[in-house]
Structures are given as structure tokens and as C-alpha cells.
Amino acid sequence: MKLSASSVAFLLASGISRCTAFIPASLGTPRTSNFPISAVPTGFSVQEENAKPIVVGASVAGIASAIVLKNAGLDAILLEECSRDALTEGAGTNLQAKAIVALNSLGVSTSTLIEAGAVITKQSYYCPDGRHVGTLDKSGDGTTPGQIAIDEGKLSDLLLETAASKDIEVLMNHHVSAIRQKSSSGTVGVKAKDTLTDDLLVLDGSMVLGADGINSKIRREHVSGSEKRDHRHYHGMTIYRGVVENFPSFLDGETMIIAGGVGVKAVVYPIGTPCEKGLQTINWEIAVDEQDENTDPSTQKGHLIDLLSTNGFNLDFLDLKSMITETPSIRAFPMVDLDPLEKWTNGRICLTGEAAHGMLPVGSGETMAGLFDALALKEALEESKSDPTCDALKTFEKLRFKDASLHQSRCRVQPAEHIVQEVLDTIPGTSEVPLEYEQRLREVMKLVQDPPNHSVASYVPSTLAQKMLLRPKAAGMVTAPTVTKAGGDLIDQLTLSQRLTPLERVALTCAGNLQMVFSSFYLQPVEVSVDRFELALTDEDGNASKSPLAVYDREVCMDIAGQQFCKATSKVRIYDAELDETLTTQQVGIGQLLRMRNLAPKFRLHDAGRNKHGGMWRFYSMDCKGIVDFDIVEEFSGDAWDMKQMTSVISSEEHPTL
């Protein structure tokens, strides 16, 4: 039976909201579904109680989210633009222990993952010439493996099979062309087209989860607020990836190796168990400091082999040249991630997976983050039973936004590669690598692969802070007369030109003890609040002799009894893992941090002046060589030394007679 457009509209107008889900372009015989639709793309008038969650994108995060929704009693529909075959084509990814546990909770057993992939018991770092830098133990806790390497396509297949076993409707080859929120019905209208038949699908959803990857259209058009801007952050490198089957196992057949530093590196690991002949399926990636990727199959392999040879790659346990030569096809793409957003939600639309926090391929962080998103969604649904849509999405964002943003930023720093590069730059090729580098590798990779719970926010420094932190710094020590670029004693010049008071001169020369000075002056404790904190996108300065573990942009406010007297915007370079943990997990000021570690920094005052509120500002640096260094802009309130409430407290204080 064929339905005309007017017939479909009549059925809907009559209150029949469960009708055909597909409207063929020719208005031929439609296929039936349990999802409500409208007769025309521009009119979505379906009863809200029939609307169901819609997940766009069958990524790991998307399929996992659909499973979580189903387990919560919400029948989701999953729309994917690719075909099943295209979706399940992939290269390798690594599942850390927490990701394995997450998959177990979704219905994918550890034994199934092991059968489909390869257990990784070691992660080893090497110089290109084969010198060993360090090894991470990935053997696990005896119950769950520490790491399983698996083909991305096989992982997607396992999740899709789990979704099918739960009767989740997955529609492949469906391109989503329009999404519209409707306040009148509290639903989200979605229009999609079957790319094989041109049939049109129009439905109303209770929510839309955008899991459509790093090139997310939902992110650009519905959440970011800047549809025309490219949100991808290019890192000036190209990644070449390949999979070679029936290749000789290397080392113990259970080791992932990373060879090279920041310019050229090779990442190689098995994604299948060895056969009786000692042959395995091997996944490899080569990251190269070049912006124009070579996509010509006739020259790709020669290009990569020449690059490795030029950069001195010679691993006696692995024939990289044969590995590349025997690879049937190689994919090349730029190394990109996404700049962080201030939010992931917009009403009943929410991002998840790469669409929310696309990461660099460091420690397979994106796969793990997508699974963590699904677990957070589960928790959010349990906490938001009164409204399993808007409230759940807001709760989900609250649970995951900060952790995922920091994880994304840590991947961007690529700390392990910098440590290997430091070895290449400082340790002669004829010398063994000192054990201290292995310990540093273990410390920094624990932060990437097992990220702690941190507070992260979008970093927007003040205009003054931006201006000062980006300008070249003048040399000069405050312990000697601080000299400006124009010459002369800076403090004397400021005292004359800005009429600095004696107390302001005291603040001007504080070196990590500003809180103590203000606390002593007002006889009150100074409260420190870390308002903004994230890893820096760029850093043009820093200690050139040693690569930092991390570089942070930080904004802190200081107040006494609720009255703010100073805001400090800083760039912090951390070279010590223990200090990094303290800074990122505690609400501490710079002075407190230095006193906790008994550090005496080298202090330089670069500039100072008055702000529009009449208060003082100063720009200075502190350096604890090899441990931490800071560039800081502090902006003081006009009444910093004359806060009325505090002054009365001081006046009424009874002091003992000395």
C-alpha cells in the first residue's frame, strides 16, 4: 500500500503518533518502525511521551551510550552515516584496565576482548638507535589485564553485536541533515537520509547525543556557538598508520614499543596473538614532523623508510623496513585534536566522545574517554530519574567535563615523547640511559593513562594578563636594582611616576610570600580559590635545557573574609611529578606550594603599573631550576591595603603588651 503525503499528515493529525519512520523520496511503500515521525521535514508535532533518545554516530562512545540508555529503560535509536563494513575497518587501539572494566559493564567480557585482540604486558620506550629508555608494567592486577590491544573495527563490531542482542535499532548509511529543538513539545526534531535509497527519515527525539566524531557537525552547528570556525587544532605533524598480518613477533609478543622523540616516532604493537609459527598481526604508527601528508601509494613506503633511515632508526629486535614494505595499505592524516569548549550541552542536545573532547592519539586516550563518557551517562541517568533528558544531560556534563578536558590537555602535552627527546639531546649515543628517565616516564604516563579527578575550566585571561604574558620579559633581579628596558631602577621609577605607597612597594617585591604579607597585615587568613586551570595550548618560553612534564595556564583569586584583593594569572611549567600532583589536586597558592616543598625561587620583576581601578599590577617570574618556574601577572584591587571591614578588625584587635 502506498501512502500519500496528505494521508500521512492525516494519520498524525488523528493522534496516531506511532507510524512510519521512513518516508521514501517517491512516497512509495514505507517501512514501519516504533519511532514517531512527522509528514513533512519542517513540521514535527508528535506527543512527547513517545519521543526516544537519538544517538548520532556509531563511534565507541555512541554505541556505548545507546547501550547505557537501553539498560536504563530508554529505547534509543542509533544513526550512523557509514556502512557497517566501513565502520568496522580500522587500525589498532589500546584498552587500559579501566576501559576493560567499562566494557565489561556494557556486556563485553574480558575473555571476548582477549580473543579478539592481544594482551599487552609491557609498554617500552626506546631511542631510535635501540637504546632502552624505560618500560611500564602493564601486567594488570591478576583479575583484569593492564592493557589489551585490539583492532578498532573489531571493538566496534563487538559493541554493535552487544547492541543487537539488546534489540537496539541501529540504522547504518543514514546522513543526518537537520536537527531542531522545539520548546513547545520539549523534543528534538531530526531529519536524516538513507544514503543508499535516498529515503527520508524524520523523527522526534527526547534528546540527541552527538557522537559524530572529531569532525562533528552537531558540535559546530548546535553547541559551539561558532558554526563557521574550524574547531580542529593542527599540531604540524602527520600520522601514518598501517596493519600487517602474519608478521614475525618481536620481543615477547606482548610488548608495545614507542621509539623516537618529538620529531619522528614509531609506535608498534601486536593486535592479535601469535600463531604456532610465531607470526602476529601488527599495528604500527609513524608520527612525522611534516604538515603535508604523503598519500601517494607509489611513494608512501619509500618516503617512510627514508625518514626512519635519516633519523637513525635501527631496532635490532624489529625490522621496521620489512614491516612497512609488507603492509598492504597505509593511511595518512594530520595530527589534530579539538580545542576545548566551555560546555557540551545545549538544551536537549549533548556531545559525547570525540565530538566533545577529540584527543591526540596518546595512550589511546580517546577510546578510554568515550567509554568513561558512557559510564558517566549511566550515573547521570540514575541521578536524574525525575527528568531523564535535560537533567541527565546537565548531570553528565558536570560529571565528565572537567576530567575529560584535563585528559585531553595531558594528551596534547605528549610528555613521554619529550622525555625521550631529552635523552636524545643530552645523553651521548654511546652511553646507556640513566634509570631516572624510566621513573619519570612511569610518573607522567600514569597521569595520562590513569588521570586523577581535577578541576578544569576554560581559560580566559584578562586583557592585561594576555598582554603581559605574551610580551618579552626584561632581565633584572629585584635583589639588585631592577632595571627596565629603558634603563634605571624600576622601583624608583614606579615610585615617582605612579606614587607607590610603602605598602605597595612591599607587595611589589614579594617573592612567593604575598599571602603571608597580607595575612600578617590584616591578621586574617587569606583564602585562595583556583578559578581557572588547564594545560597551556602554547608556550614560547620556559627552561630550554629541560622539557617540562606539563605547562599550565592558571587563574587564582585571593580574598580575606570574602573581600577579593588580588587576581593572579600565571603560566606554570612543572618539571617534577610530585609537585604536579599537588598543584592539580589542591587549592593552593604559589607561595603555599613553594613553602610545602621548601623551595627558594629566583625572582625577577619585569614590569608594574596602575590599573583602571587605582590598584597596582605587577608582572614577574620565579624559577626553581629544574623543578618549577612561573610567569605571573597580579592585579590588585584599589583598596587592597585599605579594606574597610578588615581595617576595623585590626583597630579593634586587643594586642598584648610586649
Side-chain angles (χ1 to χ4, degrees), residues 147-161:
Q147 186 169 319
I148 295 175
I150 187 172
D151 184 283
E152 291 173 328
K154 288 185 178 180
L155 178 59
S156 295
D157 221 16
L158 291 174
L159 285 168
L160 286 171
E161 288 174 6

Side-chain angles (χ1 to χ4, degrees), residues 336-355:
V336 300
D337 63 1
L338 294 177
D339 288 331
L341 293 175
E342 293 185 1
K343 63 176 184 176
W344 294 348
T345 58
N346 176 18
R348 293 175 179 266
I349 299 173
C350 182
L351 303 175
T352 187
E354 277 193 301

Side-chain angles (χ1 to χ4, degrees), residues 82-90:
C82 294
S83 67
R84 176 73 177 257
D85 289 342
L87 186 70
T88 53
E89 290 177 357

Side-chain angles (χ1 to χ4, degrees), residues 118 209 247 267 320 385:
L209 281 178
F247 192 78
V267 181
L320 292 172
K385 292 182 178 179

Side-chain angles (χ1 to χ4, degrees), residues 46 63 216 240 338 357 366 375 414 452 521 561 649 652 657:
V46 184
I63 307 170
S216 171
Y240 296 89
L338 294 177
H357 45 62
E366 188 53 61
L375 296 186
Q414 301 186 67
F521 181 77
V649 170
S652 62
T657 303

